[in-house]
Amino acid sequence: MNPPKSQSQPLLRDVLRQSIWAKGLTPEQMARVEAETVEAFVPKGGYVCRKGEPVDAWMGIIEGLAKMTNLSPEGKSITFTGMQAGAWFGEGSLLKKEPRKYDVTALRDSRIARMPASTFQWLLDTSLPFTHFLLMQLNERLGQFIGMVEFDRLLDVDSRVARCLAAMFNSHLYPGANPLLQISQEEIGYLSGASRQRVNQALQVLEKEGLLRVDYGGIHILDLDGLRRFQA
């Protein structure tokens, strides 16, 4: 059961209409999307989707924060990316018609939009702007994952935390991100593979560099390009 929504929470219909991919849809296409897309609630720590399950929907985050992970052959948890409100994911598995290759878990209580696979495929067949959006989405995701390999293998913790925060501001994957990033140090730790205490130290370093300011309720990003380039 979905928890009741307060007046301040965005409606699913409004989130759909404000999505980048919706801007090129016809009124008829938008009407079908609104009629067939549903909302699900996932509590903190719960699975948004699981590795190996059939992929029956394209998913978007209405509210909340989630991480995409997998296990290495040695049993180590590998985080591919964090995803905040506005992110849509799962198009690769839908296009390849294969079981899901990763887990997505909620780092806080999250509201998830689920567009049925049949609706997704219909948009792909009938909307050229939607197809163009997906090409950009796949290209941005590829670039993000290539960066994550470098970030995991080559960078120290301070730099990993900087890149982790900067990655949350990809204008295509996460449109509408606010300079005040409402994320906890524990959540940053989950995404960057560091302890909360080590994240705290890294944030102090980045704050001294003038790249961010740790505020009550979140982290205020002051120099996004600086975060992207930072290397200790």
Side-chain angles (χ1 to χ4, degrees):
M1 179 183 296
N2 291 348
K5 293 188 284 290
S6 70
Q7 292 183 350
S8 63
Q9 290 180 309
L11 298 174
L12 172 60
R13 178 196 61 200
D14 294 335
V15 169
L16 293 174
R17 292 180 180 181
Q18 292 164 9
S19 297
I20 295 177
W21 53 263
K23 299 186 186 305
L25 300 187
T26 66
E28 293 76 15
Q29 289 168 332
M30 195 69 234
R32 175 167 172 177
V33 166
E34 290 177 14
E36 297 181 356
T37 303
V38 298
E39 177 181 331
F41 173 75
V42 181
K44 178 180 178 180
Y47 283 95
V48 177
C49 55
R50 303 194 69 161
K51 180 179 178 179
E53 68 183 12
V55 181
D56 60 358
W58 192 41
M59 299 187 192
I61 300 180
I62 303 170
E63 281 190 320
L65 181 69
K67 65 173 181 175
M68 183 184 293
T69 62
N70 208 338
L71 288 177
S72 72
E74 296 77 26
K76 177 185 176 183
S77 179
I78 301 170
T79 297
F80 295 130
T81 186
M83 298 179 292
Q84 58 181 323
W88 287 81
F89 60 94
E91 60 279 346
S93 296
L94 280 167
L95 291 169
K96 290 184 285 185
K97 297 181 172 59
E98 64 181 13
R100 201 172 300 279
K101 298 294 188 181
Y102 49 80
D103 294 322
V104 175
T105 54
L107 295 180
R108 64 176 73 138
D109 289 352
S110 298
R111 294 168 57 205
I112 308 298
R114 294 177 54 89
M115 179 190 294
S118 57
T119 311
F120 174 90
Q121 185 61 52
W122 176 75
L123 285 179
L124 189 61
D125 293 340
T126 62
S127 174
L128 187 59
F130 186 75
T131 301
H132 286 166
F133 166 84
L134 287 180
L135 286 172
M136 286 296 299
Q137 178 91 342
L138 291 167
N139 185 58
E140 292 289 338
R141 189 77 75 197
L142 176 61
Q144 184 185 54
F145 285 171
I146 289 173
M148 292 291 288
V149 172
E150 175 194 27
F151 149 150
D152 186 60
R153 295 183 180 179
L154 303 179
L155 301 181
D156 62 283
V157 175
D158 294 344
S159 302
R160 292 210 315 265
V161 169
R163 303 296 175 86
C164 171
L165 294 173
M168 305 296 283
F169 290 87
N170 182 302
S171 60
H172 185 90
L173 297 175
Y174 314 117
N178 192 305
L180 178 59
L181 188 60
Q182 294 180 320
I183 188 170
S184 71
Q185 294 181 17
E186 181 182 30
E187 290 166 341
I188 296 170
Y190 287 139
L191 298 177
S192 61
S195 68
R196 189 194 64 77
Q197 292 81 4
R198 187 61 184 85
V199 167
N200 181 268
Q201 294 173 15
L203 291 175
Q204 291 179 40
V205 170
L206 298 173
E207 190 167 30
K208 288 178 182 177
E209 293 289 328
L211 303 177
L212 55 79
R213 184 175 67 249
V214 179
D215 290 332
Y216 178 76
I219 297 168
H220 196 91
I221 304 301
L222 302 177
D223 184 352
L224 182 57
D225 287 339
L227 280 178
R228 289 173 173 152
R229 295 191 305 266
F230 180 82
Q231 190 162 348

